[in-house]
Amino acid sequence: MARSKKHLGRYVDPRTDFGWKFYFGREDNKILLIEFLNSLFHGEKIISDLRYKPVEHDGDYEEMRRVVFDLHCIGSDGEVFIIEMQQLFQEFFKDRAVYYTSRLINKQLARGKKGSDYYLPEVYFIGILEFDMDRNGSTGISRVTERPYFYDVALCDKLTKEIFYDKLGYKMISLPLFNKQPEELKTVMDQWLYLLKHLSTMDRLPTFLDKRIFGLIFEIGEIGKLTEEELMSYEASLKHKRDAESVFNSAKKSGEALGRAKGLAEGERKKALETAKAFKEMGLPIADIAKGTGLSVEEVEKL
């Protein structure tokens, strides 16, 4: 076990499914998510508290697609947050973001409600992406900005550039485009993004990060403090991330991206099923196995 921990580094990588939910998806640590969101809003709004809500949502009709968020929270003022960590490039990620917010907005007005009261809460989609969302120039628009890694999107009047509707927003971070060095970190958001990119390779809290904000991450994130079950889930999550990246990169280089990715993905799914079966035989919780392998709870239960 000691060799495994040493191989993994000192701190849990937040860019894995396990790490993201370990740091930001637990009630005990919700101050971390509050601080992170406040850094993205940068005074536009102040989030004082959050309540975690169910992440799985079935459609109103049988044929409607089921959606599963990474994190789903309600702020103290009733605002709704969907927070997603996306590891691999997804061609229709923008469509997915709009679809997710639309599904939640649709849930705000009770079925059968009559009258002209269409008041809606604020809804925000937060996306942390490990790819350049516009790497293929799909928008046809050159983003000339000092922060090419940050998308701050709202419904605007195209002529006046004024905000048309201020209760729906999308804030996206493309981590590969964030290349600031320690001496260039000017804002708390800069510090957060630097941490997300580099935490897994650090061996201590650096002096250029605010200890009051980031001290808790370094306190709870030590791999040596994980339980055996948490360590196994983290290792599986890390392997799943690396395997997925390997599959994607191999497919990209082959020139036969679609066919090759499909075949490799099937192989990785077989590995995930085998790993899940082994974990289940060891008596690990079904939910933890699902998180660690990327399978659904239903798939693990059937093993």
Side-chain angles (χ1 to χ4, degrees):
M1 189 70 71
R3 289 177 57 194
S4 177
K5 291 180 181 179
K6 183 177 180 180
H7 173 71
L8 294 174
R10 185 170 183 182
Y11 297 103
V12 172
D13 188 348
R15 294 176 300 160
T16 60
D17 182 68
F18 173 88
W20 184 254
K21 293 169 184 174
F22 177 78
Y23 289 119
F24 299 110
R26 303 195 300 180
E27 183 71 25
D28 292 345
N29 305 334
K30 69 178 178 181
I31 185 60
L32 295 176
L33 183 57
I34 291 172
E35 293 282 3
F36 177 62
L37 292 178
N38 279 329
S39 79
L40 298 186
F41 282 93
H42 195 58
E44 175 187 340
K45 69 185 291 84
I46 304 297
I47 301 156
S48 59
D49 196 13
L50 290 172
R51 288 183 292 114
Y52 290 98
K53 302 291 287 182
V55 297
E56 298 185 6
H57 291 262
D58 292 322
D60 292 332
Y61 307 100
E62 184 175 348
E63 63 271 18
M64 286 186 71
R65 185 171 183 172
R66 184 189 194 191
V67 298
V68 181
F69 311 132
D70 283 346
L71 297 175
H72 172 206
C73 303
I74 305 293
S76 52
D77 293 328
E79 62 273 64
V80 181
F81 300 96
I82 302 169
I83 304 103
E84 291 284 304
M85 162 63 79
Q86 181 68 30
Q87 295 173 352
L88 296 179
F89 176 76
Q90 188 176 77
E91 183 178 1
F92 299 107
F93 186 78
K94 296 176 185 177
D95 300 68
R96 174 179 158 191
V98 173
Y99 179 71
Y100 276 14
T101 53
S102 299
R103 284 288 294 269
L104 282 190
I105 291 172
N106 182 56
K107 295 290 185 181
Q108 303 306 314
L109 295 177
R111 183 182 299 179
K113 184 176 181 180
K114 299 180 179 180
S116 58
D117 182 8
Y118 283 90
Y119 174 81
L120 295 171
E122 300 170 47
V123 177
Y124 298 99
F125 182 98
I126 312 298
I128 311 303
L129 319 177
E130 289 209 75
F131 56 86
D132 179 357
M133 190 159 57
D134 288 322
R135 67 180 184 180
N136 296 322
S138 58
T139 63
I141 301 173
S142 177
R143 297 187 75 241
V144 180
T145 170
E146 294 180 351
R147 298 188 293 176
Y149 50 85
F150 184 43
Y151 295 75
D152 194 2
V153 181
L155 290 178
C156 297
D157 185 311
K158 293 172 66 174
L159 298 179
T160 66
K161 311 302 180 185
E162 294 178 347
I163 301 295
F164 171 74
Y165 184 73
D166 63 358
K167 295 199 295 183
L168 175 63
Y170 301 84
K171 295 183 185 293
M172 314 280 199
I173 299 291
S174 284
L175 283 177
L177 300 183
F178 180 83
N179 297 308
K180 290 188 177 183
Q181 299 304 307
E183 64 275 11
E184 300 175 291
L185 307 180
K186 306 300 182 184
T187 66
V188 176
M189 183 175 82
D190 286 347
Q191 293 185 45
W192 270 110
L193 301 188
Y194 187 91
L195 181 78
L196 291 178
K197 287 196 71 169
H198 300 287
L199 177 58
S200 64
T201 62
M202 293 179 176
D203 58 7
R204 67 177 62 87
L205 171 62
T207 57
F208 55 82
L209 294 183
D210 191 326
K211 183 177 181 179
R212 296 167 298 178
I213 297 175
F214 302 103
L216 179 59
I217 280 188
F218 285 84
E219 179 183 336
I220 67 173
E222 289 190 44
I223 290 176
K225 294 181 179 179
L226 297 179
T227 66
E228 184 174 349
E229 290 183 0
E230 289 173 334
L231 180 60
M232 294 182 68
S233 294
Y234 175 54
E235 287 182 306
S237 182
L238 190 60
K239 183 180 184 301
H240 178 74
K241 179 179 186 293
R242 290 170 177 170
D243 288 346
E245 289 173 345
S246 177
V247 169
F248 182 81
N249 291 333
S250 296
K252 181 180 177 182
K253 293 176 181 178
S254 70
E256 302 174 352
L258 185 60
R260 182 172 174 81
K262 182 178 180 181
L264 290 172
E266 290 175 353
E268 295 308 321
R269 174 173 171 75
K270 182 179 179 181
K271 291 181 182 178
L273 290 169
E274 292 173 351
T275 302
K277 184 177 181 181
F279 283 172
K280 189 175 181 183
E281 290 175 352
M282 294 174 64
L284 296 184
I286 297 296
D288 290 345
I289 297 173
K291 289 179 182 178
T293 59
L295 300 173
S296 68
V297 170
E298 290 79 5
E299 289 174 315
V300 176
E301 289 177 339
K302 291 178 180 178
L303 293 175

